[in-house]
Amino acid sequence: METFAKNEPPACAAPSCLATTVTFLGDLPSLLGKREHHVNLPQGATVACLMNALVEAFGSVFAERVFSSPGKLNHTVLVFVDGESIKRHGLLDAPLGEGTVDVMLLPMFAGG
């Protein structure tokens, strides 16, 4: 499967895992068939690592909605890590933090 984010997540050793909960908003729950997804990632993981794990879990349906091209998020998708926009923290290179992490993915809609 094609990698859409820059970095592949390294193997995760249980004691040093980030327990990551991803909440899908907007049209993502209907596209993916669920509103929430849990992922264990290694300490030091970035948003790119998480995105690769989500592409692996949900395939092209997720990738085509969230990415405009490999390594580039669609400009209409907002990503928040523990309530903070990743725009202020390096986008896909933004670190996820430590311990338990909450991530929200919100694709915006256009129209009027």
Side-chain angles (χ1 to χ4, degrees):
M1 175 168 285
E2 185 172 359
T3 299
F4 279 81
K6 297 179 213 171
N7 303 315
E8 286 292 328
C12 183
S16 62
C17 280
L18 296 173
T20 307
T21 300
V22 182
T23 302
F24 301 116
L25 302 168
D27 63 341
L28 286 175
S30 62
L31 288 173
L32 304 176
K34 62 193 312 188
R35 183 169 171 76
E36 208 172 76
H37 186 70
H38 301 280
V39 181
N40 287 324
L41 296 169
Q43 291 289 342
T46 63
V47 172
C49 294
L50 172 62
M51 291 300 176
N52 282 331
L54 294 174
V55 168
E56 201 170 296
F58 296 105
S60 63
V61 170
F62 176 81
E64 291 169 6
R65 180 63 179 101
V66 173
F67 290 96
S68 59
S69 63
K72 184 169 169 128
L73 287 173
N74 189 322
H75 73 278
T76 63
V77 175
L78 301 177
V79 180
F80 298 92
V81 175
D82 289 334
E84 294 279 328
S85 172
I86 64 168
K87 288 183 179 182
R88 297 180 178 183
H89 300 284
L91 297 172
L92 291 173
D93 292 329
L96 290 176
E98 298 178 11
T100 302
V101 179
D102 291 312
V103 176
M104 291 189 307
L105 295 177
L106 173 61
M108 298 183 295
F109 289 96

